[in-house]
Amino acid sequence: GRLTPVSRATVREAYEQAKPGEELQAAQQAVVMTAEFNTLGASIPRPGVRPPTSHGGGAQKRPYKAVVMLFLAGGADTWNLLVPQEANL
């Protein structure tokens, strides 16, 4: 599939090191923790510095309103993780 060679090796290692009868579950847990499973874009980092974002594009004719809801119940899954877009990471 879409796993990188490093992720594939990690899943294989989790499978091989699991207790007898728990190999499949260990491999599934390892797959779920990979970046490829949790991202919508390319899983391989792109070289270089992220270009600055352009906020200009014309004025809007009407006021903009947004509702922002944050559910910070804990954990570090990527669906609840906030990542700054205008910082040097």
Side-chain angles (χ1 to χ4, degrees):
R2 298 180 180 184
L3 294 177
T4 63
V6 173
S7 295
R8 189 175 293 125
T10 302
V11 172
R12 181 173 287 128
E13 182 179 343
Y15 180 87
E16 292 170 352
Q17 292 182 1
K19 296 177 183 177
E22 297 180 3
E23 297 93 351
L24 182 59
Q25 183 178 3
Q28 288 173 335
Q29 288 175 348
V31 167
V32 170
M33 296 303 294
T34 63
E36 295 89 346
F37 184 84
N38 289 301
T39 61
L40 299 175
S43 59
I44 299 173
R46 296 182 181 151
V49 179
R50 183 183 300 179
T53 57
S54 169
H55 294 292
Q60 295 204 1
K61 304 290 183 203
R62 58 182 185 205
Y64 175 79
K65 294 182 180 181
V67 175
V68 178
M69 297 175 62
L70 298 177
F71 295 101
L72 303 175
D77 61 347
T78 56
W79 299 109
N80 293 325
L81 192 63
L82 300 175
V83 179
Q85 294 187 6
E86 295 182 6
N88 295 329
L89 299 177

